Amino acid sequence: MAHASVASLMRTIESLLTFNSPMQSLTCDHREDFSDLHEKISSLEVVVKNLEKNNVSGEMTDFEVEVKEVANIVEHTIQLRVTEVVLASDENLREKAHERLSDSLQQVAEDIDCIWKESTKIQDKGKQVSKESLVHDFSSSTDDILNVNNNMVGRDDQMKRLLEDLTTCYSGEPKVIPIVGMGGIGKTTLAKEVYNHGSILCRFDVRAWATVSQQHNIKEILLSLLQSTIKMDDTAKMKGEAELADMLQKSLKRKRYLIVLDDIWSCQVWDGVRRCFPTEDNAGNRILLTTRNDEVACYAGVENLSLRMSFMDQDESWSLFKSAAFSNEALPYEFETVGKQIADECHGLPLTIVVVAGLLKSKRAIDDWRSVAKDVKSFVTNDPDERCSHVLGLSYDHLTSDLKTCLLHFGIFPEDSEIPVKNLMRSWMAEGFLKLENDLEGEAEKCLQELVDRCLVLVCKKSLDGTKIRSCKVHDLIYDLCVREMQRENIFIMNDIVLDYSDSECRFASMQKIQPFKHVTDGKIVYCPYGLCRAILTPVHRQLRDYDNNDLLRRTHSIISFHRKDSFFSPVLKLDLIHFKLLKVLELRHGEIDNFPVQILSLIWLRYLSLRCRANLDIPPEICRLWNLQTLIVKGNLRSSVGIKCPVQIWGLMQLRHLKLPRFYLPDCPSGSVDKRRHLDFSNLQTISYLSSGCCTNEVILGIQNVKKLGIRQDVTDYGCYRDFGPLNNLIHLHQLETLSFTRYCETFPATLKKLKLERTYISWLYLDIIAKLPNLEVLKLMGGACRGKEWYPNVRGFTQLKLLLIEYSFLKYWKATNDNFPALERLVLKECSYLKEIPIEFAEIPTLQLIELTRCLSELGKSAARIQQEQEDLGNNPVDVRISRPCKYIVFIRVTLCFSFSQVKSYTKVI
């Protein structure tokens, strides 16, 4: 795929030509050369994109192969030569580096000229298009990134039987129910449907889900299950497997539980986790497995309870296809015949059906449908796996070039891994997949939306208000497609940086050895259980010199860490970082550092940097060298609070879009830089957290004028000074701010605010009357310690646009409100509100209310929600959905006497 290489080269040259780039002074003598290159490559990008758009066979032409190789060589050469200029230690070396840069620019200009001239000939021939492509650069028909129907269609008989098996009383040990079938048959979809079914929610005290996958990790499985069974803090991640297994078993004892182990591949995995599940006779415990392996099903399950998934019949296939392709739209008559032909050719495999339907979702021309029907019908094979692979390949071939690149990027993550969307999109930006525009994040969201709409990406988690995707993944078969296409098209190479512990009893001593990268070979990835990081390399090319071909370090443009057994940062890898001169992405969040690695300061092409620190960290002044940096993330130690000290030079990172650190103090802009002539500010910054509350000075606020999401944490010296709002009142000048999260309170907020999260602010409930007046507020989250007192009586008509209200860990006991207080509310979420027994009955009069969700709340509160549900039904409204998780039966007051050198009596409350 030539477009990915050309787009990456374009992003590199654009970064050199950016008006506020620090490189301007170093490359000003070559600006004309770079501008000429940019013009020709821009034209070339259009030609290549059109070629790929019209080439639905998926096979690259000789011209595309040549373009891809030349683009990679040119980018590689430019980056190396510019790096030499920037890092030259004296004027003499810098002058020689400039000479080499001039010579190289002349050579690459000739290479680009040859390709450009050839591209103009292709354009003159009309791009050799014989028919109109099915691929369109279309914008999505909806602004809702979650506009995808995830509900199951068909399978009614199998679902009914499974619900009976899960809810029927049996004596003896917990019953294991396997769901067996090939990939894409709908095992996980069926499991999720019953897992969230109303009868299951009522029957089981505890429900827990873990995705196992082919490359399983017992510790990760245990952590996934524990997240649903207990209130777990970050320290649990530091415990060993045995301790986690013991915690899980204790959390399940004397409770009726449902455990789902999704995508289990081997009997060994089952043996590794089965001991964690209590075996006492509770006449109702269930363990649900999904697997492709009959051996696993027979080994783990009860034979008469095993459920084998069959292919869908014609009616079910058509219902699923129609639902995925048309959603709630009326079906035009002329499409039904062709649609049924397409659905039949999918041979009853749900994944194939929804992927093809996703391909046609945006197409309303009957000729497009007939063309796809012809393509699908051409895959004549009796092997269902091969047939599915062909259909998935068809859907891939009909993606636009940028969507192809974004989809293939899923292949660098471990199979079945749930990927945080923020990390994914920022990685797309850093790799150069997206155009350098003001709204890079918006472009990334559009790409993700298209992939979701085409049923190629699965949504795992959504935001509480349902408007954003929080995490996503791809199906195993789509993952295989990504890995296969990466190799076939030679887009980039995946290798693992691994550590060899085999020859030493001391793991720390053996860390001094780093073995060669493990290559992707024969269609399979060779995994190493002790692998620390995955490296993404530019492919080997015919025109590169042998030295460059074998120089893996220089060809590496991304290093991404994945969780393994170790949480420390390899000192050997730290020393070797200086050799990865062309890195764009460095993600080392699984290894802790004590000091900022100075080797990183030489990686001037970095766009994404993520680290984890063990203690307080000083960022060196030389950080300003990383002038391409778009995302800077430093996470703190899981066991302690840390602070970050930033130098004033950090303001030189003018491409920065996302700055996420533990509590840090941002110094004022350099003197004279906050007026109209200033050259240093964070004009591109979209996200910043967590600022110390004391540094929200006028100068700092002026420097982050365009920020949309802001997190603030209270200075450690400020506790007790809750009425001294001080610098926080400057926040009113942030006219682009939409999301605010902080542990201090102020009296003035920007009118643009849409989401507000308060934690440990300890304000009176009466102060919420100020927040109620915000005209655009849609989400309000009141976390632990947000408000003090037991009574909330809103005095004003407010929260006119509020759609989501979350109250968590609150002492609220009495709540009076009217429907005028929350006229647009859609979701009410109450978590561990241990004293509250009643929701205002007036909530039944809110016509927009859709959901009341209660977690670890008193049973009286659940009854109150049920009354609102009934009242809404009596009023003729659609009844609100009430979800209750882990209800508490009562509150126990325990008085404890602590005897030391003096007697002291303390009381605390425990919820059971």
Side-chain angles (χ1 to χ4, degrees), residues 20-22 627 651-656 679-684:
N20 60 351
S21 167
W627 52 276
W651 288 99
L653 302 179
M654 288 176 285
Q655 302 304 317
L656 202 61
H679 300 290
L680 296 179
D681 64 7
F682 289 149
S683 59
N684 292 309

Side-chain angles (χ1 to χ4, degrees), residues 252-265:
L252 296 175
K253 279 189 175 180
R254 293 182 294 279
K255 294 176 183 175
R256 181 180 291 166
Y257 59 80
L258 169 63
I259 302 293
V260 179
L261 298 175
D262 183 36
D263 196 22
I264 186 168
W265 284 72

